[in-house]
Amino acid sequence: MRLIHTSDWHLGQTFHGFDRQLEHQLFLDWLLDQIVGEQPDVLLIAGDVFDTANPSATAQKQLYHFVTQAKQSKPNLQIIMIAGNHDSAGRIEAPSPLLQVMGIDVIGTVKRDVSGEIDVSTLVFPLRNHSGETSGWCLALPFLRPGDLPKIPDSTDQYTDGVTELYRRALNHALELRGEANQPIVGMGHLHLTGGVTSELSERRLIVGGNEALPASIFGSELAYVALGHLHKAQRVGAEHIRYCGSPLPMSFSEVNYQHQALRIDFDGNTIRQIESLKIPRNVELLRIGATSDSSTLSVDKVLRQLMEMDLSPANPELQPFVEVSFVLEQPEPDLKHRVELALADKPVRLARIQTRTTSANQSNSGISTMHDMEQLTPEQVFQSLYARKYTDPMPDELRNAFSQIATQALHAETAQ
């Protein structure tokens, strides 16, 4: 059996005010080519299908046009899609009666039976191979809110213990359905695992029930593979088979040198034979121009000269590079934006962001130019920013890990009070 694992499409997203419809369409066209070329049995979409709970008609049309094309290209393709924290659980489930007829399962909510008990059977799905035979099982759990979870008596951490219990119940149900068959059980989720690397100013922070992140131990050892969404960088967390595939498009300028990807997973019975990265082409470049952490002496005039000297080929306006311009200021520059716009006036680029910091230790701009930027900051990012203002060398990994542990302990202590 072969799976393709994707997540965090964020259809309908804008990048610093610029529409990304064509970028998303080119990704979907690429994914359709992978379905034709790689011939997967199952496509997993691990949450944040849309960028907002109320996606535009265009974004919704993109999704449903894609799944229709995918099924036409490979009629026996199974698609399993869960809601993320950006998605509306009810809205994404609304077309389920039509999609299920096509072999597409959408899970947005945790359903309960008439007695109010969680119905785990609605979270477990058979995985079928190219012959239509059941070759595995999938626990498809959407982004979980406190009301979705079972109550754990005497628990000091209701959210973590509730998530763990829900995955345990779903796994036990899958084990009963599998019986003695040599079939893999795959878990899906949209959450932040402890130790996962985030993309700076990209992911929306998940603080549910007082928890910043969940331990990888919430997943049972019987799971052959865990397909996760939410963190926008592909990575393994806790074990080789627990994976984030990352987002298909860059969501922040910190991803300028990052290769986005989907993951292809091949099984021999209950055993993973291979996990392969499917590299997603970048159709719109990210350009960072100007001062960096090791070029604090670069003057405003030198940065503007860099902009004027850029030599770029003409491009479709919807595919022109996004540009972030960074300055280190010794004094206020009230006309800075106007000067940047003049320098770029004849360039085939889109000015996405002007980032400024000051040489004065008393200033604390740190590149935060909007309230949105500020809301996205994590304690770790604030700590790194403060460190960067005082020291020129990169922060040691030991110090970063120690702070992360302290921050996690503090969150747990606050929850327990």
Side-chain angles (χ1 to χ4, degrees):
M1 186 172 61
R2 170 171 287 182
L3 313 181
I4 288 183
H5 169 199
T6 70
S7 74
D8 297 275
W9 293 6
H10 288 275
L11 298 178
Q13 190 235 11
T14 60
F15 191 73
H16 295 277
F18 290 101
D19 183 81
R20 308 188 83 176
Q21 180 184 346
L22 181 54
E23 273 186 277
H24 277 115
Q25 189 56 54
L26 291 173
F27 157 66
L28 295 175
D29 293 344
W30 172 87
L31 183 55
L32 188 63
D33 289 340
Q34 303 310 301
I35 290 169
V36 173
E38 300 288 346
Q39 289 291 297
D41 301 300
V42 184
L43 172 65
L44 304 178
I45 309 172
D48 281 357
V49 183
F50 297 113
D51 191 58
T52 67
N54 187 25
S56 68
T58 299
Q60 294 180 73
K61 183 177 180 179
Q62 271 194 314
L63 172 64
Y64 300 123
H65 183 61
F66 166 78
V67 297
T68 301
Q69 285 184 307
K71 293 294 293 185
Q72 288 173 343
S73 299
K74 191 175 188 301
N76 59 356
L77 176 70
Q78 183 179 3
I79 300 176
I80 301 179
M81 181 190 321
I82 62 172
N85 58 301
H86 280 248
D87 299 310
S88 164
R91 184 183 298 274
I92 204 168
E93 272 193 351
S96 289
L98 292 174
L99 295 176
Q100 285 175 348
V101 174
M102 299 171 61
I104 301 168
D105 295 299
V106 183
I107 306 91
T109 58
V110 175
K111 296 176 177 59
R112 296 177 182 267
D113 59 25
V114 292
S115 65
E117 290 296 316
I118 292 172
D119 184 358
V120 292
S121 68
T122 63
L123 302 172
V124 179
F125 297 84
L127 296 175
R128 298 183 175 87
N129 63 17
H130 60 278
S131 301
E133 302 167 338
T134 296
S135 296
W137 300 89
C138 181
L139 320 181
L141 277 65
F143 171 62
L144 298 170
R145 295 173 173 82
D148 297 323
L149 304 175
K151 295 293 186 290
I152 311 300
D154 302 322
S155 170
T156 59
D157 190 342
Q158 282 288 339
Y159 188 74
T160 298
D161 292 343
V163 172
T164 304
E165 174 64 13
L166 186 54
Y167 271 100
R168 186 191 68 80
R169 293 184 189 181
L171 177 58
N172 286 343
H173 184 66
L175 289 168
E176 290 177 6
L177 293 172
R178 182 181 72 174
E180 299 300 318
N182 183 28
Q183 299 169 342
I185 299 178
V186 174
M188 287 183 74
H190 191 91
L191 44 83
H192 183 174
L193 285 186
T194 301
V197 178
T198 61
S199 174
E200 181 184 0
L201 300 182
S202 177
E203 294 98 355
R204 180 185 296 172
R205 293 180 67 195
L206 294 183
I207 302 180
V208 185
N211 289 298
E212 171 67 11
L214 294 162
S217 59
I218 64 173
F219 304 116
S221 60
E222 297 89 346
L223 290 175
Y225 182 78
V226 179
L228 297 175
H230 178 59
L231 300 188
H232 293 166
K233 289 187 175 181
Q235 56 194 290
R236 56 185 66 83
V237 182
E240 188 70 16
H241 69 287
I242 302 176
R243 299 281 188 123
Y244 288 96
C245 62
S247 61
L249 303 185
M251 299 289 171
S252 131
F253 276 99
S254 67
E255 300 168 37
V256 62
N257 295 317
Y258 175 68
Q259 175 64 62
H260 291 263
Q261 58 194 277
L263 294 173
R264 190 195 73 208
I265 306 94
D266 291 333
F267 289 96
D268 278 333
N270 188 33
T271 304
I272 291 177
R273 183 174 76 239
Q274 184 181 36
I275 299 177
E276 185 74 18
S277 168
L278 304 176
K279 294 179 173 56
I280 302 173
R282 180 170 293 183
N283 295 291
V284 174
E285 291 301 314
L286 302 181
L287 303 178
R288 306 183 93 170
I289 307 297
T292 62
S293 59
D294 58 354
S295 61
S296 57
T297 59
L298 201 61
S299 69
V300 170
D301 288 340
K302 287 182 178 178
V303 174
L304 293 172
R305 192 174 304 117
Q306 286 184 347
L307 296 177
M308 290 184 286
E309 291 174 353
M310 283 196 305
D311 186 14
L312 301 170
S313 301
N316 181 324
E318 294 180 86
L319 298 178
Q320 290 177 348
F322 294 117
V323 177
E324 176 191 74
V325 188
S326 300
F327 295 94
V328 175
L329 302 180
E330 296 183 356
Q331 59 186 9
E333 297 279 353
D335 63 342
L336 187 59
K337 182 179 180 182
H338 178 64
R339 295 173 69 187
V340 170
E341 290 173 341
L342 285 178
L344 294 174
D346 61 344
K347 308 293 183 184
V349 298
R350 290 174 286 179
L351 176 59
R353 189 173 186 226
I354 298 175
Q355 179 174 246
T356 62
R357 56 190 174 93
T358 178
T359 56
S360 170
N362 295 324
Q363 299 296 320
S364 58
N365 188 318
S366 303
I368 307 304
S369 57
T370 67
M371 284 299 295
H372 174 74
D373 289 346
M374 186 175 295
E375 290 169 355
Q376 304 304 305
L377 286 178
T378 65
E380 288 82 0
Q381 289 165 347
V382 174
F383 183 62
Q384 290 177 17
S385 177
L386 291 172
Y387 185 94
R389 286 172 54 197
K390 189 172 183 180
Y391 305 103
T392 56
D393 292 333
M395 182 186 296
D397 289 341
E398 296 82 0
L399 184 58
R400 182 183 294 106
N401 292 336
F403 181 84
S404 180
Q405 292 176 7
I406 292 170
T408 300
Q409 291 170 2
L411 282 168
H412 281 281
E414 181 181 357
T415 304
Q417 291 178 352

